Amino acid sequence: MKVKDLERYSNAEKIILAEQLWDSVSKNDVEISDDVKKELDIRLKNLEEGKTELYSWDEVKTHLNSLRQPS
């Protein structure tokens, strides 16, 4: 599916459109497998118990960029 003439809309209009599209998707229609649910539960538990490290988006970008640079 291709959205025609998308460039004619302002960024604000595109954001509103994206929000309307997102809101039109019912959470009940999204299927998640039992394995994915289990993994998400494990990750949430680890987060709540302080057993996981959190990184800012800037830290992630810096790390990814360092992987691309030759040693």
Side-chain angles (χ1 to χ4, degrees):
M1 178 175 130
K2 183 176 178 178
V3 179
K4 295 181 181 180
D5 301 322
L6 192 58
E7 65 277 352
R8 73 181 181 152
Y9 296 102
S10 70
N11 286 340
E13 291 170 318
K14 291 175 189 176
I15 290 169
I16 291 169
L17 176 60
E19 288 173 344
Q20 290 173 346
L21 285 170
W22 183 255
D23 290 343
S24 73
V25 177
S26 171
K27 292 177 184 172
N28 296 330
D29 293 339
V30 178
E31 295 182 25
I32 300 175
S33 71
D34 288 338
D35 288 339
V36 171
K37 288 178 187 176
K38 287 177 189 174
E39 180 62 27
L40 291 172
D41 287 339
I42 289 168
R43 291 180 184 202
L44 182 58
K45 181 181 176 193
N46 286 340
L47 180 63
E48 290 170 344
E49 294 176 355
K51 295 180 180 177
T52 189
E53 293 185 49
L54 300 176
Y55 301 94
S56 71
W57 178 235
D58 285 335
E59 290 171 318
V60 172
K61 287 191 295 187
T62 299
H63 174 70
L64 291 175
N65 285 331
S66 73
L67 297 176
R68 286 197 256 168
Q69 297 176 5
S71 302

